[in-house]
Every structure is written in C-alpha cells, then in structure tokens.
Short mmCIF file of all heavy atoms in Angstrom, two decimals:
data_model
loop_
_atom_site.label_atom_id
_atom_site.label_comp_id
_atom_site.label_asym_id
_atom_site.label_seq_id
_atom_site.Cartn_x
_atom_site.Cartn_y
_atom_site.Cartn_z
N LEU M 1 20.96 -16.47 49.06
CA LEU M 1 20.57 -16.15 50.42
C LEU M 1 21.63 -16.60 51.42
O LEU M 1 22.41 -17.52 51.17
CB LEU M 1 19.24 -16.84 50.76
CG LEU M 1 18.05 -16.50 49.85
CD1 LEU M 1 16.83 -17.30 50.28
CD2 LEU M 1 17.76 -15.01 49.86
N PHE M 2 21.64 -15.91 52.56
CA PHE M 2 22.50 -16.35 53.66
C PHE M 2 22.20 -17.80 54.00
O PHE M 2 21.04 -18.23 54.01
CB PHE M 2 22.25 -15.51 54.92
CG PHE M 2 22.83 -14.12 54.89
CD1 PHE M 2 22.18 -13.08 55.53
CD2 PHE M 2 24.02 -13.84 54.25
CE1 PHE M 2 22.71 -11.80 55.54
CE2 PHE M 2 24.56 -12.57 54.24
CZ PHE M 2 23.90 -11.54 54.88
N GLN M 3 23.26 -18.55 54.32
CA GLN M 3 23.10 -19.95 54.69
C GLN M 3 23.74 -20.23 56.05
O GLN M 3 24.73 -19.61 56.43
CB GLN M 3 23.75 -20.87 53.65
CG GLN M 3 23.03 -20.90 52.32
CD GLN M 3 23.67 -21.87 51.34
OE1 GLN M 3 24.64 -22.55 51.65
NE2 GLN M 3 23.12 -21.91 50.13
N ASN M 4 23.15 -21.19 56.74
CA ASN M 4 23.74 -21.70 57.97
C ASN M 4 24.95 -22.56 57.63
O ASN M 4 25.15 -22.95 56.47
CB ASN M 4 22.69 -22.53 58.73
CG ASN M 4 21.49 -21.71 59.12
OD1 ASN M 4 21.62 -20.64 59.70
ND2 ASN M 4 20.30 -22.20 58.79
N PRO M 5 25.77 -22.90 58.61
CA PRO M 5 26.96 -23.72 58.32
C PRO M 5 26.67 -25.04 57.64
O PRO M 5 27.50 -25.54 56.88
CB PRO M 5 27.57 -23.93 59.71
CG PRO M 5 27.14 -22.74 60.50
CD PRO M 5 25.76 -22.42 60.00
N ASP M 6 25.47 -25.61 57.87
CA ASP M 6 25.13 -26.90 57.25
C ASP M 6 24.58 -26.76 55.84
O ASP M 6 24.17 -27.74 55.22
CB ASP M 6 24.16 -27.68 58.13
CG ASP M 6 22.80 -26.99 58.29
OD1 ASP M 6 22.62 -25.90 57.69
OD2 ASP M 6 21.95 -27.52 59.01
N GLY M 7 24.54 -25.54 55.32
CA GLY M 7 24.08 -25.32 53.96
C GLY M 7 22.61 -25.03 53.83
O GLY M 7 22.13 -24.73 52.72
N THR M 8 21.86 -25.08 54.93
CA THR M 8 20.45 -24.72 54.88
C THR M 8 20.30 -23.20 54.86
O THR M 8 21.17 -22.47 55.32
CB THR M 8 19.69 -25.30 56.08
OG1 THR M 8 20.28 -24.80 57.29
CG2 THR M 8 19.75 -26.82 56.07
N THR M 9 19.19 -22.72 54.33
CA THR M 9 18.93 -21.29 54.26
C THR M 9 18.67 -20.73 55.65
O THR M 9 17.91 -21.32 56.43
CB THR M 9 17.73 -21.00 53.36
OG1 THR M 9 18.03 -21.45 52.03
CG2 THR M 9 17.41 -19.51 53.31
N PHE M 10 19.29 -19.61 55.96
CA PHE M 10 19.02 -18.93 57.22
C PHE M 10 17.59 -18.42 57.17
O PHE M 10 17.25 -17.55 56.36
CB PHE M 10 20.01 -17.79 57.42
CG PHE M 10 19.75 -16.96 58.65
CD1 PHE M 10 19.85 -17.52 59.91
CD2 PHE M 10 19.39 -15.63 58.54
CE1 PHE M 10 19.60 -16.75 61.05
CE2 PHE M 10 19.14 -14.86 59.67
CZ PHE M 10 19.25 -15.43 60.92
N ASP M 11 16.74 -18.96 58.02
CA ASP M 11 15.31 -18.72 57.93
C ASP M 11 14.91 -17.52 58.76
O ASP M 11 14.64 -17.61 59.95
CB ASP M 11 14.55 -19.96 58.40
CG ASP M 11 13.05 -19.81 58.17
OD1 ASP M 11 12.67 -18.92 57.39
OD2 ASP M 11 12.28 -20.58 58.77
N TYR M 12 14.90 -16.36 58.14
CA TYR M 12 14.45 -15.13 58.78
C TYR M 12 13.65 -14.36 57.76
O TYR M 12 14.19 -13.89 56.75
CB TYR M 12 15.63 -14.29 59.27
CG TYR M 12 15.23 -13.02 59.99
CD1 TYR M 12 14.98 -13.02 61.35
CD2 TYR M 12 15.08 -11.82 59.30
CE1 TYR M 12 14.60 -11.86 62.00
CE2 TYR M 12 14.71 -10.66 59.94
CZ TYR M 12 14.46 -10.68 61.29
OH TYR M 12 14.07 -9.52 61.94
N SER M 13 12.36 -14.27 57.98
CA SER M 13 11.46 -13.54 57.06
C SER M 13 11.61 -14.02 55.62
O SER M 13 11.63 -13.23 54.68
CB SER M 13 11.73 -12.03 57.15
OG SER M 13 11.48 -11.57 58.45
N GLY M 14 11.76 -15.33 55.46
CA GLY M 14 11.87 -15.88 54.12
C GLY M 14 13.27 -15.88 53.56
O GLY M 14 13.47 -16.23 52.40
N GLY M 15 14.24 -15.53 54.37
CA GLY M 15 15.62 -15.50 53.93
C GLY M 15 16.12 -14.09 53.69
O GLY M 15 15.34 -13.16 53.45
N LEU M 16 17.43 -13.93 53.75
CA LEU M 16 18.06 -12.62 53.56
C LEU M 16 19.07 -12.70 52.42
O LEU M 16 19.91 -13.62 52.40
CB LEU M 16 18.79 -12.18 54.83
CG LEU M 16 17.95 -12.00 56.10
CD1 LEU M 16 18.85 -11.71 57.29
CD2 LEU M 16 16.93 -10.89 55.92
N PRO M 17 19.05 -11.77 51.48
CA PRO M 17 20.04 -11.79 50.40
C PRO M 17 21.46 -11.63 50.94
O PRO M 17 21.73 -10.79 51.78
CB PRO M 17 19.65 -10.58 49.54
CG PRO M 17 18.20 -10.36 49.83
CD PRO M 17 18.04 -10.71 51.29
N SER M 18 22.35 -12.44 50.44
CA SER M 18 23.74 -12.42 50.88
C SER M 18 24.43 -11.13 50.46
O SER M 18 24.30 -10.68 49.33
CB SER M 18 24.49 -13.61 50.29
OG SER M 18 25.88 -13.49 50.52
N VAL M 19 25.20 -10.54 51.39
CA VAL M 19 25.99 -9.36 51.04
C VAL M 19 27.28 -9.74 50.33
O VAL M 19 28.00 -8.88 49.83
CB VAL M 19 26.33 -8.51 52.29
CG1 VAL M 19 25.07 -8.06 53.00
CG2 VAL M 19 27.24 -9.27 53.25
N PHE M 20 27.57 -11.05 50.27
CA PHE M 20 28.80 -11.51 49.62
C PHE M 20 28.58 -11.76 48.13
O PHE M 20 29.55 -11.91 47.39
CB PHE M 20 29.29 -12.80 50.28
CG PHE M 20 29.57 -12.65 51.76
CD1 PHE M 20 28.60 -12.95 52.69
CD2 PHE M 20 30.81 -12.19 52.20
CE1 PHE M 20 28.84 -12.79 54.05
CE2 PHE M 20 31.05 -12.04 53.55
CZ PHE M 20 30.07 -12.33 54.48
N SER M 21 27.34 -11.84 47.70
CA SER M 21 27.02 -12.14 46.31
C SER M 21 27.16 -10.90 45.43
O SER M 21 26.48 -9.89 45.65
CB SER M 21 25.59 -12.67 46.22
OG SER M 21 25.13 -12.65 44.88
N ALA M 22 28.02 -10.99 44.42
CA ALA M 22 28.19 -9.87 43.50
C ALA M 22 26.90 -9.61 42.72
O ALA M 22 26.56 -8.45 42.44
CB ALA M 22 29.35 -10.16 42.54
N THR M 23 26.17 -10.66 42.38
CA THR M 23 24.92 -10.49 41.65
C THR M 23 23.90 -9.75 42.49
O THR M 23 23.22 -8.82 42.01
CB THR M 23 24.36 -11.87 41.24
OG1 THR M 23 25.32 -12.54 40.41
CG2 THR M 23 23.05 -11.71 40.48
N ASN M 24 23.75 -10.16 43.76
CA ASN M 24 22.83 -9.44 44.65
C ASN M 24 23.19 -7.97 44.72
O ASN M 24 22.33 -7.09 44.62
CB ASN M 24 22.90 -10.02 46.06
CG ASN M 24 22.28 -11.40 46.17
OD1 ASN M 24 21.74 -11.94 45.21
ND2 ASN M 24 22.36 -11.98 47.35
N ARG M 25 24.47 -7.72 44.90
CA ARG M 25 24.93 -6.35 45.12
C ARG M 25 24.64 -5.47 43.90
O ARG M 25 24.17 -4.33 44.05
CB ARG M 25 26.42 -6.36 45.42
CG ARG M 25 27.05 -5.00 45.55
CD ARG M 25 28.43 -5.16 46.12
NE ARG M 25 29.24 -3.98 46.00
CZ ARG M 25 30.28 -3.71 46.78
NH1 ARG M 25 30.61 -4.56 47.73
NH2 ARG M 25 31.00 -2.63 46.62
N VAL M 26 24.90 -5.98 42.71
CA VAL M 26 24.65 -5.20 41.50
C VAL M 26 23.18 -4.81 41.41
O VAL M 26 22.84 -3.65 41.13
CB VAL M 26 25.08 -6.00 40.25
CG1 VAL M 26 24.52 -5.35 38.98
CG2 VAL M 26 26.60 -6.07 40.17
N GLN M 27 22.29 -5.76 41.66
CA GLN M 27 20.87 -5.49 41.55
C GLN M 27 20.38 -4.55 42.65
O GLN M 27 19.59 -3.63 42.40
CB GLN M 27 20.08 -6.81 41.60
CG GLN M 27 20.39 -7.77 40.46
CD GLN M 27 19.90 -7.27 39.11
OE1 GLN M 27 19.13 -6.31 39.03
NE2 GLN M 27 20.35 -7.89 38.04
N GLN M 28 20.84 -4.78 43.88
CA GLN M 28 20.42 -3.93 45.00
C GLN M 28 20.88 -2.49 44.80
O GLN M 28 20.11 -1.54 44.97
CB GLN M 28 20.97 -4.49 46.31
CG GLN M 28 20.31 -5.79 46.75
CD GLN M 28 21.02 -6.41 47.95
OE1 GLN M 28 22.25 -6.39 48.04
NE2 GLN M 28 20.25 -6.95 48.87
N HIS M 29 22.14 -2.32 44.44
CA HIS M 29 22.67 -0.97 44.31
C HIS M 29 22.17 -0.26 43.05
O HIS M 29 22.13 0.96 43.01
CB HIS M 29 24.19 -1.00 44.37
CG HIS M 29 24.71 -1.31 45.74
ND1 HIS M 29 26.03 -1.59 46.00
CD2 HIS M 29 24.08 -1.38 46.93
CE1 HIS M 29 26.19 -1.82 47.29
NE2 HIS M 29 25.01 -1.70 47.87
N ARG M 30 21.75 -1.03 42.06
CA ARG M 30 21.08 -0.41 40.91
C ARG M 30 19.77 0.24 41.36
O ARG M 30 19.44 1.35 40.93
CB ARG M 30 20.82 -1.46 39.82
CG ARG M 30 20.21 -0.87 38.56
CD ARG M 30 19.96 -1.92 37.50
NE ARG M 30 18.88 -2.84 37.86
CZ ARG M 30 18.39 -3.77 37.04
NH1 ARG M 30 18.90 -3.91 35.81
NH2 ARG M 30 17.41 -4.56 37.44
N PHE M 31 19.04 -0.46 42.22
CA PHE M 31 17.81 0.12 42.76
C PHE M 31 18.12 1.35 43.62
O PHE M 31 17.44 2.38 43.53
CB PHE M 31 17.04 -0.92 43.58
CG PHE M 31 16.00 -0.32 44.48
CD1 PHE M 31 14.95 0.42 43.95
CD2 PHE M 31 16.08 -0.47 45.85
CE1 PHE M 31 13.98 0.98 44.78
CE2 PHE M 31 15.14 0.09 46.68
CZ PHE M 31 14.08 0.82 46.15
N VAL M 32 19.14 1.25 44.47
CA VAL M 32 19.52 2.38 45.33
C VAL M 32 19.85 3.60 44.46
O VAL M 32 19.42 4.73 44.75
CB VAL M 32 20.72 2.01 46.21
CG1 VAL M 32 21.26 3.23 46.95
CG2 VAL M 32 20.33 0.91 47.21
#
C-alpha cells in the first residue's frame, strides 16, 4: 500500500495499492 513519508499507511478507504509495486501491477492487470 501507499505509505506516508514516516512509513505509516496512507489512510484512504483502507489504503490504496501502490502503483510502484510489480506484484500489485501483475495482479491488477491480470484482472483488467
């Protein structure tokens, strides 16, 4: 998930998957 500069999770609707993560991207685009 996206993180704030201090390492805490960016708290928006339970967190947002990072666009920088290769693992996230593979799974998301497989669904797409």
Side-chain angles (χ1 to χ4, degrees):
L1 302 178
F2 285 147
Q3 291 183 2
N4 299 309
D6 64 1
T8 59
T9 298
F10 176 64
D11 186 16
Y12 182 88
S13 299
L16 299 174
S18 170
V19 301
F20 301 93
S21 165
T23 301
N24 289 358
R25 175 169 167 157
V26 166
Q27 298 292 348
Q28 289 172 321
H29 288 170
R30 183 180 70 173
F31 164 60
V32 171

